[in-house]
Amino acid sequence: MLGAMHGELNYNSPKSIAQFLQTHGMAPNRRFGQNFLISQGIREKIVGLLELEEQSNVWEIGPGLGAMTHMLLDKAKNITLFEIDNRFIQFLTILYSEYPHLKIVNGDVVKTWKSVYREDGLPDRIMGNLPYNTASMIIADLIEAGCVAPRMVFTVQKEVAARMRAIPGTREYSAFSVICQFACTVEDGGTISPGAFYPPPHVDSALVVMKPHGRFNFSRLPLVSEITKALFSSRRKTIRNTLIRSSLAARYGQENIAAALEAGGIDPGRRGEELAVETVVALAEFLSETSSRDDSWMV
Ligand code: SAM
């Protein structure tokens, strides 16, 4: 079966991977962003950035054929793999049948991680060479649900990495930047050229290292996220116009939104993309406190 073929698979050779896939009636699936990392140097760098300890509980998103997994297993024994492709699940199950602490979770990570979290708690590390088309969605999903491990290392498209690290007022600064920076410091782990993957993607990739900074209260994140999405819904409109036309105005009232802007010293004529994360958080704090004050007569 597939597992017996592992000896024929050289993770650093595009030819070997192509042959392996072909022998088993497979081909890289673009829909699942299957670009396999073929550089041992980059793999070693990722493992270094993870700063693993033997007892670390590690989640790997998208293990593919396991090129990173065996290196993770050398350093830490509690590993959980989240893989969407059934063909790889079959291969990984056979390949790692001897590892009692390795868990393999089949399906879309966005749909599966929460039950693992409920059972095992927050992992110490989360990593993944993520599929390009869904990387930001996967990262935002984890953060918005409060699943922020003490250290997370992701490979993403270079432009996505730039958005994660972007500062206010730049073209790259987006709702996704605010969500990432609300939870974590985002460090640049370096660029990876297309030649480090098989098949080579049409874009550059980059490594990002995320570490929670603990500056903000996570209970505010849903409102921060809602404000941010409203602010960035139309980049050319002013803060006043985007917020007043959003569902926030119906919920909090236009006067309260105007008061929140004034309290934060925010010029409503500016553009949303100029607001720093802490300013958006301050807006959310003000609106939450105002709405709980407004509700106080109900008690
Ligand atoms: N880790 C391998 C490597 O470095 O060579 C493969 C990385 S490849 C860029 C992305 C992997 O994520 C593929 O194995 C793909 O099947 C898997 N994948 C894509 N979407 C996924 C999802 N929503 N949930 C879990 N795995 C997913």
Side-chain angles (χ1 to χ4, degrees):
M1 268 297 290
L2 280 174
M5 299 298 165
H6 176 235
E8 292 172 19
L9 178 57
N10 174 356
Y11 290 120
N12 297 334
S13 157
K15 197 168 158 210
S16 171
I17 296 173
Q19 252 167 19
F20 178 86
L21 293 174
Q22 200 183 11
T23 307
H24 298 288
M26 303 190 247
N29 183 332
R30 278 183 64 182
R31 188 160 63 93
F32 293 154
Q34 290 173 352
N35 302 91
F36 303 94
L37 189 57
I38 54 169
S39 160
Q40 182 64 13
I42 307 271
R43 279 186 220 115
E44 280 165 10
K45 183 169 184 183
I46 294 171
V47 172
L49 290 171
L50 279 166
E51 297 184 357
L52 296 169
E53 285 160 23
E54 205 194 330
Q55 294 310 319
S56 300
N57 179 7
V58 186
W59 285 6
E60 181 183 4
I61 301 174
L65 295 171
M68 288 296 317
T69 313
H70 70 278
M71 293 178 67
L72 300 176
L73 281 164
D74 277 348
K75 301 263 178 195
K77 52 181 189 178
N78 297 304
I79 314 273
T80 302
L81 307 178
F82 296 87
E83 174 56 60
I84 200 167
D85 193 320
N86 279 321
R87 307 164 308 170
F88 297 166
I89 291 283
Q90 190 191 358
F91 172 65
L92 294 166
T93 306
I94 297 167
L95 185 61
Y96 294 119
S97 57
E98 313 268 286
Y99 291 84
H101 299 289
L102 181 98
K103 196 183 263 187
I104 302 179
V105 183
N106 186 357
D108 179 349
V109 63
V110 171
K111 296 192 181 128
T112 56
W113 73 260
K114 291 186 186 76
S115 63
V116 177
Y117 182 93
R118 276 194 292 274
E119 211 167 284
D120 299 346
L122 184 69
D124 302 304
R125 302 286 184 267
I126 304 180
M127 63 80 56
N129 296 331
L130 297 178
Y132 294 115
N133 47 354
T134 48
S136 50
M137 196 260 284
I138 292 171
I139 295 171
D141 183 67
L142 290 166
I143 295 175
E144 290 188 316
C147 182
V148 180
R151 207 171 174 89
M152 305 190 285
V153 179
F154 298 115
T155 310
V156 296
Q157 186 175 335
K158 195 176 171 188
E159 288 73 14
V160 172
R163 281 169 52 212
M164 294 170 77
R165 303 177 54 242
I167 56 169
T170 58
R171 200 163 47 91
E172 291 79 17
Y173 193 58
S174 64
F176 184 49
S177 319
V178 176
I179 289 168
C180 291
Q181 294 172 30
F182 173 92
C184 294
T185 57
V186 186
E187 289 165 19
D188 179 10
T191 302
I192 310 176
S193 65
F197 297 92
Y198 168 77
H202 299 296
V203 292
D204 278 336
S205 305
L207 279 165
V208 285
V209 182
M210 304 182 78
K211 288 181 269 179
H213 49 58
R215 284 167 55 207
F216 306 121
N217 179 346
F218 259 80
S219 67
R220 291 283 178 259
L221 184 51
L223 185 53
V224 166
S225 198
E226 196 179 346
I227 295 173
T228 311
K229 280 170 192 155
L231 287 173
F232 285 93
S233 61
S234 174
R235 292 177 85 101
R236 282 190 319 213
K237 285 196 185 134
T238 62
I239 295 170
R240 181 198 298 109
N241 285 345
T242 48
L243 292 186
I244 278 169
R245 280 175 181 71
S246 72
S247 57
L248 292 157
R251 201 154 79 246
Y252 294 101
Q254 294 192 5
E255 311 72 42
N256 282 333
I257 289 183
L261 292 173
E262 199 180 330
I266 303 163
D267 173 0
R270 284 166 68 196
R271 316 265 168 215
E273 70 218 49
E274 293 167 27
L275 295 190
V277 178
E278 39 280 349
T279 310
V280 182
V281 176
L283 266 178
E285 295 285 355
F286 187 95
L287 289 177
S288 306
E289 278 159 28
T290 309
S291 74
S292 58
R293 266 205 309 278
D294 287 352
D295 289 346
S296 57
W297 60 272
M298 296 169 79
V299 181

